Amino acid sequence: MLRLILNVVWLVLSGFWLFLAYTAAGIVACLLIVTIPFGIASFRIGLYALWPFGREAVRDPRAGAASAIGNVLWILLFGWWLVLGHVATAIALAITIIGLPLAWANLKLIPVSLLPLGSRIVDTDAYVPGSRVAAQV
């Protein structure tokens, strides 16, 4: 029940706007055939930013050198301004005591917004830390 309440408050205060930012980045990335993987990653993270409580971003152990190179390009093209959006939203939410968990959730989204390729979004109830492959949500 607490997750539902936090997700609804999150959606109203910051989740919808972050979702729109990730969607815009995904649309821009899908304009070129070469950057379509960036667009898919952006849409995936946007859905995570829309409803984050009860889910977690984990590194996929099967990710290789291609995802590392892609992440460098991502940081240069999209990642830095998405991180600025998370930091600005976290600062605004941290002004009130009620917004502190939401600000923390914003800061928790920064690593996946910087390095989206090779990351998976998993349900925290279904994910077993240390397992080789997590169930993707």
Side-chain angles (χ1 to χ4, degrees):
M1 185 65 174
L2 181 61
R3 284 185 192 167
L4 177 66
I5 293 169
L6 285 171
N7 277 321
V8 169
V9 172
W10 170 270
L11 180 68
V12 172
L13 294 179
S14 65
F16 182 71
W17 307 112
L18 291 171
F19 170 75
L20 289 179
Y22 279 106
T23 302
I27 290 170
V28 169
C30 285
L31 292 176
L32 298 173
I33 293 172
V34 176
T35 56
I36 287 177
F38 296 150
I40 293 169
S42 183
F43 295 139
R44 185 179 66 239
I45 299 167
L47 291 174
Y48 177 43
L50 190 63
W51 203 260
F53 294 98
R55 300 192 299 170
E56 185 177 354
V58 295
R59 298 297 300 165
D60 190 351
R62 297 173 293 166
S67 66
I69 294 168
N71 280 329
V72 170
L73 291 173
W74 171 268
I75 290 170
L76 296 174
L77 297 174
F78 305 105
W80 66 272
W81 64 271
L82 291 169
V83 168
L84 290 177
H86 283 294
V87 170
T89 308
I91 290 170
L93 288 170
I95 292 173
T96 65
I97 292 175
I98 295 171
L100 284 175
L102 304 176
W104 179 251
N106 245 316
L107 296 177
K108 191 174 93 171
L109 283 167
I110 289 176
V112 75
S113 68
L114 272 180
L115 307 170
L117 302 173
S119 294
R120 299 179 76 174
I121 310 301
V122 296
D123 187 8
T124 54
D125 294 334
Y127 176 65
V128 178
S131 66
R132 191 120 166 97
V133 179
Q136 187 169 0
V137 177

